[in-house]
Amino acid sequence: NKFLQLRWYCTVPNLPKKILISSRIKVNHNRRKAKTMVAYSKIVIAGGGVIGNSISYYLAKRHGASCTIIDPVGIAPAASGKAGGFLAKDWSEGSPIGELMSRSFDLHAEQADDLGAEKIDYRRLEAAAVMMASNGSGRKPAGKKLEGVEWADVNVVGGNILGREDTIAQVHPKKLCEAMWNYSKESVGSTLILGKIAEAITDSDNKRIIGVRLEDGSTVDADALIVACGPWTDGARSWFGSEVEDKMPRMYGIKVTFYSCYFSTMVYFTLNCCYS
C-alpha cells in the first residue's frame, strides 16, 4: 500500500491556500480512500445549514475536532430547516451522482441510529406517483397498492410505486441539523457565533488564513475556513479582496458545477474525508 499526499490548490493566483483542505490518501488496487485530514486547530465554518452542520458533526465524531460555525441567523436558518427531508437511495442510479446519493441515504440511516430516530423524525416509507384527472371525475385509485394514499384519493386515473421502505426515507431537516450541532457542541466543545463574515484575514504574505472579521468588527481566529453558505456562497468572493475577487468565477451554492470548485468542492471533499 502506498500513501499520497494531495493538497487541493486553486488555480487562481494569490488565493489564500489555507482555505483548502489537505488529505492523506491511501491507494490500494487503484482505489482511493480518504484516510485522514491534515490537523487544524481553529476550524471556522461559514454557514449553519445542513452542509456546515454535517461537517461539524463528522469532524467531532470521526476526528474529535471542534469548530466554530458562523451564521447570521443560527442553525438551519433557511432551506436546511424547511425542506421536505425526502430521501431516495437509487433514484439517480447510473448518473454521476448515483453513488453519492446512495451513500447519503445510508449515512442518514446511520445518523438515525446514532442520534436517535425519534429526535430527528427519521422514518422509512413508500413513495407513489399518481396521475390526476383534470375533469373532476372523482375516481378512486385503481389497485390495492394505492388504496391507502388518502391525500390523493380523488380524480386519480393511475399511479405506480416509486420505492419502498428499503430505498425511501424521510427526516426532519431542522431537527437533524440541531441534533448534529448539539453532538458537536457537547462532545468536543464546538461554538456557534451569530454574525456575518465581512472579510477573511490573511498573514502578511497573503498566503495563509489566520482569521475572519465579522460585520460588527469582531474577529475570530482561524487556520482553516470552510465556506458552506448554500445559495449565498458567491458572496464569499468579496472576503478575499478585490484582486482575488476579480479573478474568481461566479459561484453558486445550488448549482453544483466545476465553476464552484473554489468553495463548494472544498466543502464536498471535506465531507468525503469525514465520511470515509
Side-chain angles (χ1 to χ4, degrees):
N1 294 333
K2 298 181 179 180
F3 289 89
L4 299 179
Q5 185 72 26
L6 299 184
R7 187 177 295 273
W8 286 56
Y9 288 119
C10 183
T11 58
V12 177
N14 301 321
L15 182 68
K17 296 178 181 178
K18 204 61 174 184
I19 66 170
L20 298 176
I21 299 298
S22 301
S23 67
R24 197 179 183 206
I25 305 296
K26 183 177 182 181
V27 180
N28 185 10
H29 301 297
N30 297 321
R31 297 185 64 182
R32 294 179 176 179
K33 180 178 180 181
K35 187 64 175 178
T36 59
M37 292 178 63
V38 171
Y40 292 103
S41 60
K42 301 173 183 177
I43 302 172
V44 169
I45 300 173
V50 66
I51 297 297
N53 278 286
S54 294
I55 295 171
S56 176
Y57 174 73
Y58 283 102
L59 282 173
K61 181 177 177 61
R62 301 285 176 85
H63 303 281
S66 63
C67 68
T68 298
I69 289 181
I70 300 177
D71 192 279
V73 180
I75 300 300
S80 293
K82 302 176 178 66
F86 185 80
L87 307 169
K89 183 180 179 71
D90 57 0
W91 284 13
S92 294
E93 191 173 23
S95 76
I97 65 170
E99 187 176 349
L100 178 63
M101 177 175 283
S102 178
R103 177 63 171 149
S104 174
F105 185 88
D106 294 339
L107 282 172
H108 278 88
E110 292 179 15
Q111 289 174 330
D113 292 337
D114 294 341
L115 299 172
E118 69 287 348
K119 289 185 179 180
I120 62 176
D121 285 352
Y122 178 87
R123 60 174 181 163
R124 295 296 184 101
L125 42 78
E126 293 186 350
V130 296
M131 183 171 62
M132 312 291 291
S134 60
N135 57 8
S137 63
R139 293 177 58 187
K140 297 288 185 178
K144 294 183 178 181
K145 291 182 178 180
L146 296 178
E147 287 180 351
V149 187
E150 298 174 358
W151 54 267
D153 63 354
V154 177
N155 299 337
V156 173
V157 295
N160 63 287
I161 297 296
L162 299 178
R164 301 192 180 278
E165 292 186 7
D166 57 335
T167 61
I168 302 294
Q170 189 175 31
V171 66
H172 193 299
K174 186 173 181 61
K175 291 182 178 180
L176 173 62
C177 288
E178 290 174 340
M180 289 192 294
W181 169 245
N182 287 333
Y183 178 91
S184 179
K185 178 177 64 174
E186 295 169 3
S187 63
V188 296
S190 294
T191 57
L192 171 66
I193 295 177
L194 297 183
K196 190 173 182 180
I197 296 176
E199 179 186 7
I201 305 172
T202 60
D203 61 13
S204 57
D205 296 327
N206 198 35
K207 293 182 179 180
R208 296 177 182 273
I209 291 288
I210 59 174
V212 294
R213 181 174 287 106
L214 307 187
E215 286 188 340
D216 62 6
S218 61
T219 60
V220 180
D221 292 339
D223 56 15
L225 171 60
I226 300 173
V227 179
C229 299
W232 296 276
T233 296
D234 188 67
R237 297 165 69 242
S238 64
W239 298 352
F240 303 96
S242 58
E243 182 179 353
V244 174
E245 180 182 6
D246 293 342
K247 296 176 182 178
M248 282 186 177
R250 306 294 296 186
M251 292 168 287
Y252 304 92
I254 296 178
K255 298 178 181 179
V256 182
T257 69
F258 289 110
Y259 294 103
S260 62
C261 66
Y262 305 112
F263 291 89
S264 294
T265 300
M266 175 183 63
V267 173
Y268 299 147
F269 186 66
T270 303
L271 282 171
N272 183 49
C273 290
C274 296
Y275 284 172
S276 297

